[in-house]
């Protein structure tokens, strides 16, 4: 099974900050990775697919990069509505696996 | 617009079988893609349970694999999850989702509590 190691597990940031979250795969997964945002009591929402493609309707301050085993989600200028938990998901091979999540909190 | 809606009992007794259905609207399951189930225990992260293709092929997570069955009913445009011999550890919000380069559409989720 492919393990996804996501870091950090939590972070505190201020509005306007640049935020970076990383996921590392235990083996190469090409670009078969997505990033999801989840707010309390809500279903996850996909932000990025195929590692670097912005989901329709998602603000351009979100971006993704990486291929193979290392992937990054960047929020260029954190906004109040971005405080949430973020997860990566690899869908290269079964079983699909999520990262442990990164909770982005207000500083 | 594709929409998914989970339904099923919110309370299941230990050792019994959890059964959930996901009704899909705005897209015909028989047209393609795969369809999956994800769960989230209270206060914890997302856990992948398994997927089913429109043709009926299935993939399950090794952890609850022997207890999980996912099926599809194209005539009703829905797919289902059965999890047998449940324990308190199976208490979670269960989500259904459509798989297209990961999961693009999700249901709102339904809380299932395992308790006597």
């Amino acid at each position: 099974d492919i393990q996804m190691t996501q870091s950090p597990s939590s972070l505190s940031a201020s509005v306007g900050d640049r935020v970076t979250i990383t996921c590392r795969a235990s083996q190469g997964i090409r670009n078969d990775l997505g990033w999801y945002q989840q707010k309390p009591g809500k279903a996850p929402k996909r932000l990025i697919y195929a590692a670097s493609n912005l989901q329709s309707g998602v603000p351009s301050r979100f971006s993704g990069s990486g291929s193979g085993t290392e992937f990054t989600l960047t929020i260029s200028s954190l906004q109040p509505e971005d405080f949430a938990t973020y997860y990566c998901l690899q869908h290269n091979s079964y079983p699909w696996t999520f990262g442990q999540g990164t909770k982005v909190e207000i500083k | 617009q594709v929409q998914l809606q989970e339904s099923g009992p919110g309370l299941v007794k230990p050792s019994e079988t959890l059964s959930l259905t996901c009704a899909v609207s705005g897209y015909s399951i028989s047209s393609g893609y795969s369809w999956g189930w994800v769960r989230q225990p209270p206060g914890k992260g997302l856990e992948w349970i398994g997927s089913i293709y429109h043709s009926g092929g299935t993939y399950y997570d090794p952890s609850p694999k022997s207890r999980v069955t996912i099926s599809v009913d194209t005539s009703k445009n829905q797919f289902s999850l059965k999890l047998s011999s449940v324990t308190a550890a199976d208490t979670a919000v269960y989500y259904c989702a459509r798989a297209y380069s990961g999961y693009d559409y999700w249901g709102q989720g339904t809380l299932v509590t395992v308790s006597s």
Side-chain angles (χ1 to χ4, degrees):
Chain A
D1 299 358
I2 297 174
Q3 309 304 316
M4 300 302 297
T5 302
Q6 186 173 340
S7 61
S9 57
S10 65
L11 65 90
S12 295
S14 300
V15 172
D17 283 354
R18 182 181 182 89
V19 169
T20 299
I21 299 168
T22 298
C23 263
R24 289 187 174 86
S26 60
Q27 63 191 71
I29 59 170
R30 301 183 305 181
N31 68 338
D32 297 329
L33 180 123
W35 289 97
Y36 297 79
Q37 177 193 66
Q38 188 181 34
K39 296 182 178 179
K42 299 294 187 182
K45 170 188 173 184
R46 189 167 71 178
L47 304 174
I48 302 288
Y49 66 95
S52 60
N53 293 274
L54 191 66
Q55 181 74 32
S56 176
V58 172
S60 59
R61 62 181 179 272
F62 292 94
S63 64
S65 64
S67 183
T69 61
E70 187 149 341
F71 302 85
T72 300
L73 172 70
T74 299
I75 309 172
S76 61
S77 177
L78 198 65
Q79 297 302 300
E81 59 268 31
D82 301 338
F83 291 95
T85 301
Y86 295 83
Y87 296 92
C88 62
L89 167 67
Q90 74 79 19
H91 55 90
N92 175 263
S93 63
Y94 291 110
W96 291 7
T97 42
F98 289 93
Q100 300 92 327
T102 296
K103 186 172 185 179
V104 176
E105 299 176 302
I106 301 173
K107 196 171 191 177
Chain B
Q1 177 75 347
V2 180
Q3 292 185 315
L4 297 90
Q5 179 69 58
E6 305 90 349
S7 62
L11 181 64
V12 181
K13 290 182 168 57
S15 80
E16 296 189 343
T17 296
L18 177 160
S19 296
L20 296 174
T21 295
C22 182
V24 179
S25 59
Y27 185 83
S28 173
I29 285 180
S30 58
S31 295
Y33 297 124
S34 67
W35 306 84
W37 290 95
V38 173
R39 71 181 182 180
Q40 186 170 38
K44 297 188 177 181
L46 300 169
E47 300 178 354
W48 185 78
I49 299 173
S51 286
I52 187 165
Y53 284 80
H54 66 286
S55 58
T58 54
Y59 293 88
Y60 301 132
D61 186 86
S63 175
K65 182 177 181 179
S66 63
R67 301 190 291 126
V68 174
T69 302
I70 298 175
S71 58
V72 64
D73 186 340
T74 53
S75 66
K76 294 183 178 179
N77 214 38
Q78 63 187 34
F79 60 104
S80 299
L81 169 70
K82 291 188 185 299
L83 181 64
S84 63
S85 304
V86 297
T87 69
D90 295 310
T91 293
V93 175
Y94 286 77
Y95 296 99
C96 60
R98 187 182 82 165
Y100 176 66
S101 190
Y103 290 124
D104 57 351
Y105 291 98
W106 296 68
Q108 65 185 23
T110 187
L111 174 63
V112 179
T113 301
V114 178
S115 174
S116 55

